[in-house]
Structures are given as structure tokens and as C-alpha cells.
Amino acid sequence: MSTTWPEKEKAVARAAFDRAASAAEKEIIKRHAAYPLESLDDLWNLEQEIRKWRKEHGYIFQYRYSHLDECFGICVRRNWLTLENLRGLGEERLQRIRRIASS
């Protein structure tokens, strides 16, 4: 597979990346906004969840062309993106993203 990203694909990738990051952020904020805090233990548990999310988010959302196929595959699997959002990427790249999304 070619590791070169044509300009057209770069534009599609940037838009998809931004869309996925926004969807992921909205999901995590919504999930934690309703978190019941009734004790300090609840607060510490929330802190641990947020730290785990931050680490995971940092791994997924790296805007490096060598990582974007994996990023997009994970985002499709988690419903932060659809394959329709990736229209304009090459078929070989889309196949790899589909493979990652289904694993």
C-alpha cells in the first residue's frame, strides 16, 4: 500500500479527523457529566476514568499520516465516524480502515 497521501486525501483526512475528535469529545463529556458524585471515592473513580480516557484519546487522535488508518478504523468501530465520512480516500486505504474497524 502506498504511504503517500495525495492532497485530495489529506483534505478528506483532516475533515474526518476533526469530526471524529469532536464526536469523541462530546461522548466523553456527556458520559461524565452525569457521573454520580456522592463521596470522595466516587470522585477518585471519576478521576481514574478521565485519566484512562485521556491516555486512550492521546493514542487514538495522533494526526500523523502513518497512524491515520488506525485512527479512522478505531473511530468507525466506535461510531465516531462512518465510512461515508471517509469518502474520497483511496480504496486500498478504505479496505485497511474497514479491516481495523471490524477487529
Side-chain angles (χ1 to χ4, degrees):
M1 178 172 108
S2 173
T3 57
T4 304
W5 283 72
E7 288 304 313
K8 179 184 169 201
E9 286 192 13
K10 286 180 179 181
V12 171
R14 182 79 251 183
F17 183 89
D18 291 344
R19 172 178 282 218
S22 177
E25 290 167 13
K26 286 176 186 171
E27 179 184 301
I28 197 68
I29 288 170
K30 184 177 178 182
R31 183 182 336 155
H32 289 98
Y35 197 91
L37 295 176
E38 297 177 7
S39 69
L40 273 178
D41 284 340
D42 292 339
L43 185 63
W44 305 148
N45 290 336
L46 175 59
E47 178 191 23
Q48 286 184 323
E49 280 190 40
I50 291 170
R51 286 177 185 267
K52 179 182 174 190
W53 165 251
R54 188 172 186 182
K55 183 177 180 180
E56 189 176 313
H57 184 274
Y59 172 75
I60 295 168
F61 292 102
Q62 300 174 54
Y63 198 84
R64 293 186 336 239
Y65 291 110
S66 62
H67 179 74
L68 285 179
D69 292 350
E70 183 174 3
C71 169
F72 293 155
I74 293 168
C75 290
V76 168
R77 182 181 330 127
R78 294 186 178 186
N79 296 314
W80 297 330
L81 279 179
T82 66
L83 291 173
E84 183 64 29
N85 299 137
L86 300 171
R87 183 186 295 181
L89 297 182
E91 188 54 39
E92 193 175 338
R93 189 172 310 284
L94 286 171
Q95 286 176 359
R96 182 164 193 270
I97 291 167
R98 280 188 204 101
R99 205 169 36 250
I100 293 166
S102 67
S103 63

